[in-house]
Every structure is written in C-alpha cells, then in structure tokens.
Amino acid sequence: MDQDPNTAGGTADTENIMVAGEPSQDTQTSGTETSATSPYIDRDLRLPSDKEKRRLQTIVVTTIGILLLVLIGFVVWFFAFYNHPDKVMLDGVNNILRASNISLDGGGSAVLHEGKTDGPIKTILINLDSSSAKLPNTTDVSLFIDYNDDKSLNLQLGTVQLTDGAIYLKISGIMESLRSMDLESNMQNNMEEFFNNLETIDGEWWRISVRDVLQNTTGSEELASLYSDIYDCAIATTTRDHSKTLVSLYKQNQFINVEPIKKIDNGHEYINYKAKSWHNLYEISLDKEILAQFLNSLPETEIAAEMYTCYNAALEKYTPDAEKLSAEDIPEISASDISIPDNLHLYAEVSQFGHKIRSLWGYIEDEDYNNVFSVMLNYQDVEVAAPSEYRDITELFQEISIDDIWGSLTLPEDEIYIDESDYELDPDYTFEDGSWMTNNEMEKMEWQWES
C-alpha cells in the first residue's frame, strides 16, 4: 500500500510540514536520510518595519520638497529676474548688436481718417524688405501714393550694396506712374528729352562705382581718389565686428525704457496686435538724456578711432596741409538737440526665451491720418550677390547730361513770373560776411532758362 510521504515510518512529523515561503527541511523516510526540495520560492518575504516606513516617507517628502523648491525658484527667477522688462530689453538690444546678420521685412502706411476729405492724398503705402542691416545687403522699397483726384504714383526701388564699393540701383515704375498721373501728355512738348531720359533709367539695374562717379562729377582724379579712400575706410570700419564695444557702451547707457502691455491698439483699428506665443509686448520710451550720453560716447570708441586714422591717412596722402580729424572735433549734443515727437508711440515684441526682438511697431497720432509702421526681424544669414544683368552708370552719364536735362525745361517768355514784392531783411538771420540782398534787388536777377 502506498504511504503518505508525510507519514513515512508510520508517524506524522508535523514539524517537517513545509510552510510556504520558508526554507525546505530534510525529511526521514524508512530510516534513510533524503533531501526534499520545496516547490515554493526559496527566499525570505519580510514586511518593512515602522522605522523603515518612516525613513522611506522622509526620503519621498524631501525629494518632492526639493523639486518644488527648484520649480518655485525657477518660476521666481524666470519672471522676477530673467523676464524683468529691463533685462529683456537689454538682452534684446545686445542680441541685435551681436547678430551676424539681421534681415528686415516691414513697412508703413498713412491713411486719411474716415470722413476726412481735406488734403490731396488719400493713402500712402511703403513696403521695405532688407536682407541685412550690415554690408553686404539688398534692399527693396515700394512706394504707393493714392491721390484724391484718382491719380496714383507707384514706384519700386531696389539696391544691392557690396563691400567692394559698388552699389547697384534700380528704379521701376517711373513711366507707368507718369502716365497714370497724366503728366507725360501735359508736359510732353516742353520736356520730351527729360521723359526720354527717365525712360532710359526706368527698370534698369545700374552699377555705381563711387570712384567713377566722383571722377566724372568732379573732373579731378586726385579728388576722386581722396573721397574714394575715405569711402573705403567707412566700409572697412563698419563691416568689422564691433559688437563688444557697442554692447558695453549700451550697457552703460541704457536709453530704452519699457513697460509690459497686453496688446497694441491705436484706437482706429489700423493697428490691433497681440504678441505671438511665448512672446511679450512692451511699450518703448527713449530717455533723451541717456541717449545723448550714448551718442557723445561714440566718438571716443575704437570704432571712431579707426575712422580718424583712416581719414587722416587719406588727407595726408592727397592734401598734407589739410586739418586732421580727432574726437575733439566732434561736437557734443544735449537732450534738447534730440527731437522725439510727443505723439509717437513705439513697441517691441520680444521672445520669452532667448530675448530676441521679433518685431517693432509704432504709430503717430494725427488728426487727419492714421500713421502706422512695423518691421519684422529675422536673424538668419543670407547670401548677397550682384544682379546678373546691369549697366554701368558711366554709360548713363554719356547718354544724359545735365545740360540736356535743364535745356529741355524751357518756358515761353510770357510764362516767366517775377515777384515784384519787397524783400525785407530778417533781423535774426545774417550771412557770415554780414551782407544781405537789399529790397527789390531780386527784380534785377534774370529769370530765364536757356536751352
């Protein structure tokens, strides 16, 4: 007969009954010692004591407390210090000064108030797109003027300026604007040559070399070389990285004050703007006293010193007897010399992280017009190259002469107007030599244009 393993030898050994979770014990069967393995997991399962529980709770509470303190500290630092308006604007200006490149995209408008009929102009629109605030850069400007007599002016100006002293210029829309304003037909008989010259300029890229222009206009190669060297100095100086100097100078003279606002609203719905996500809006005011200090400090900087050295070297080369330039020759200005209209309102949109100025806004309060402008800033680098097709400005000088232009502006003798009124001396205005034109001497001047 089979026996129960727990009752081998005829006796039940209750001490050897396995308890779940306890180590296995040896059992005796038929007087022979054998080893029996428990089917349960061979390990201890021990509940934590009250002391260990309290210790674990302390660790958890302490960790949570530290995290809360860090979070609270970050919030306080972020809003009370990092995003304090003064620091935001300081960082924003510094980011502009340190940027390797900033492109601009914006414009402005002047729109006659609804119901207003006074004035010859209904609307003025200006759009600006500039690839860089430094050289080299490209700039495109468009101007649209809508007059009350249903006439309009629509011009586009394009420029490309490189660091080699060359400027590329294009003006488009001249002839179309003249036709839309009916000027060409009214003045065609007397100004035919002038309109032909404008048509030559219209829509064409022209390369302007400063040296060539100076030589053609002054007739002196030496004078052209002098001014060209000075121009080259200005280009070389302005294209160097002077950000450290300017950042330090502005930090000492922070002339921009800001106040946080919720949105920009001039009350006429021509400007109603809220900041983008993770950006704040600030109203800007300029401290004229500190601005004057900032401007008066510029002549003492290394930037100005480079210009003095280069300018004086050019003078020494071509005109040794000429008076040299130094910081003492630059007159200081005061706050009263800086004119800022009281009706001008300025705003800036700045990112909460990084403090980069995203956009600048403004409007001018006026009884007749809504005057609004804005510009967006982009901090990415761009490639600037000369136009693929262009003509040299010297070709234009050969085709158009000043004598030809003024010679075409002739008027019949019966249309020449001479003012016979008296010309009184203004006691507050004198020439340097103390002389002034006596009464009616203007009548002795010959008023005519000869072709």
Side-chain angles (χ1 to χ4, degrees), residues 267-281:
H268 294 285
E269 297 185 356
Y270 279 93
I271 178 171
N272 193 331
Y273 182 78
K274 291 184 178 181
K276 299 300 181 183
S277 300
W278 303 106
H279 288 75
N280 290 330
L281 280 173

Side-chain angles (χ1 to χ4, degrees), residues 58-212:
T58 302
I59 293 174
V60 172
V61 171
T62 303
T63 303
I64 294 175
I66 293 174
L67 292 176
L68 286 175
L69 288 175
V70 171
L71 180 60
I72 293 172
F74 174 78
V75 171
V76 172
W77 170 84
F78 184 79
F79 289 102
F81 173 74
Y82 183 74
N83 267 321
H84 188 276
D86 292 338
K87 177 172 174 55
V88 169
M89 187 50 58
L90 174 62
D91 292 346
V93 174
N94 289 344
N95 283 329
I96 290 179
L97 296 175
R98 293 192 182 105
S100 59
N101 182 71
I102 296 178
S103 61
L104 307 175
D105 183 11
S109 64
V111 181
L112 197 64
H113 283 311
E114 187 175 353
K116 287 279 187 178
T117 58
D118 298 337
I121 299 176
K122 291 190 295 185
T123 305
I124 300 176
L125 299 176
I126 299 177
N127 289 320
L128 167 70
D129 184 5
S130 180
S131 64
S132 174
K134 302 177 182 178
L135 296 183
N137 75 342
T138 62
T139 302
D140 294 304
V141 180
S142 64
L143 171 64
F144 174 77
I145 302 177
D146 186 20
Y147 297 91
N148 273 325
D149 56 2
D150 296 328
K151 296 178 181 179
S152 62
L153 177 69
N154 193 356
L155 296 175
Q156 296 82 42
L157 171 67
T159 65
V160 178
Q161 189 170 4
L162 306 180
T163 56
D164 60 358
I167 303 173
Y168 299 83
L169 175 67
K170 181 173 72 171
I171 304 177
S172 303
I174 300 176
M175 302 309 297
E176 183 179 348
S177 295
L178 291 177
R179 283 189 287 269
S180 68
M181 297 180 69
D182 203 26
L183 292 180
E184 187 176 8
S185 59
N186 290 339
M187 307 176 70
Q188 181 71 34
N189 294 333
N190 294 324
M191 302 182 66
E192 182 175 359
E193 186 65 28
F194 181 66
F195 280 108
N196 290 337
N197 293 332
L198 289 179
E199 191 168 7
T200 301
I201 298 172
D202 193 7
E204 190 83 45
W205 278 106
W206 297 93
R207 182 184 183 275
I208 303 173
S209 169
V210 175
R211 187 181 298 273
D212 293 343

Side-chain angles (χ1 to χ4, degrees), residues 219-249:
S220 170
E221 184 176 352
E222 185 177 85
L223 188 60
S225 297
L226 169 62
Y227 287 120
S228 295
D229 286 356
I230 295 174
Y231 176 80
D232 292 340
C233 286
I235 294 296
T237 300
T238 54
T239 52
R240 289 195 186 94
D241 183 11
H242 297 291
S243 59
K244 290 184 179 180
T245 300
L246 295 175
V247 165
S248 176
L249 190 61

Side-chain angles (χ1 to χ4, degrees), residues 1 18 23 72 134 297 306 334 355 357-358 411:
M1 178 181 293
M18 301 299 298
I72 293 172
K134 302 177 182 178
S297 299
E306 288 185 20
S334 62
H355 294 168
I357 298 177
R358 179 180 181 271
L411 292 175

Side-chain angles (χ1 to χ4, degrees), residues 42 231 432:
D42 188 12
Y231 176 80
E432 292 182 0

